[in-house]
Amino acid sequence: MAQQDRKMIHEMANALRLKSKSSGQGKSRFPVLYKMGRSGDFSGAAMGKVESLLNSKRFFPRKDMRRSRKSATAGHDRVTASNVAGVSYRDGEVVGAAAPEIGTENRGRAILEKMGWSKGTALGALNNKGMLQPVPHIVKTTKAGLG
C-alpha cells in the first residue's frame, strides 16, 4: 500500500481513537488497526472528524495543480497550473476503462464516418471481422517481466 494511503488510514484511525501501526516491508506494507478500551463507540462527532479528513485537500489534492516553493517576497505558497496529468493510475488498472464514448462532434470520429464507418461496426478488416473494442492498456509500474 502506498505511503500516502497508509497515512490517511492512520489519521482516520486516530480520529476514531483506534490504535494503528504499519506492518510488512517495502511495497507490501499495510496498516493494522486495533480497537482499544479507550476507543468506545463510534459517535457522530468521530465520524465528523473522519469526514472532514476525507474532504480535506491534504489527502485528495488536485492533480492538475502543483504547489511551488514558498515565494521569498510574499511568504505564501503559490499554486500554479502545470502540465501534470489530471488522472493517476495504479499498477494493474486499465487506462480509460471508465471513459465515455467519443461524441459525434469529435474530428477523428467524423473522418471515420465519412470513410464509411458506423457505430457497432469493426475496424481493420473486411466483412466486419476487425476489432470492435480498442486495445486495453494495463498499467505496469514495476520492471519485473521486462527483458
Side-chain angles (χ1 to χ4, degrees), residues 41-140:
D41 293 331
F42 300 132
S43 64
M47 290 305 193
K49 287 181 185 177
V50 171
E51 188 174 339
S52 68
L53 280 172
L54 290 175
N55 290 335
S56 71
K57 295 185 193 271
R58 193 171 64 175
F59 289 119
F60 300 110
R62 288 186 56 176
K63 298 286 186 179
D64 61 338
M65 305 297 272
R66 184 184 344 201
R67 288 202 172 272
S68 63
R69 294 192 181 255
K70 288 194 178 191
S71 172
T73 58
H76 293 49
D77 282 349
R78 285 188 332 189
V79 179
T80 56
S82 64
N83 219 2
V84 178
V87 178
S88 63
Y89 294 100
R90 293 189 177 178
D91 196 23
E93 285 185 300
V94 177
V95 175
E101 182 178 313
I102 294 175
T104 56
E105 69 280 350
N106 182 280
R107 289 181 131 185
R109 181 175 176 154
I111 291 170
L112 286 172
E113 286 175 346
K114 283 181 183 178
M115 293 176 13
W117 176 82
S118 63
K119 182 179 175 183
T121 59
L123 285 175
L126 296 174
N127 302 326
N128 203 23
K129 293 185 180 181
M131 295 177 54
L132 290 171
Q133 297 295 325
V135 176
H137 174 71
I138 299 172
V139 176
K140 181 169 177 51

Side-chain angles (χ1 to χ4, degrees), residues 18-34:
L18 297 172
K19 181 179 178 185
S20 65
K21 71 174 189 174
S22 290
S23 295
Q25 294 179 353
K27 291 193 178 222
S28 63
R29 287 183 63 82
F30 57 94
V32 179
L33 307 178
Y34 301 97

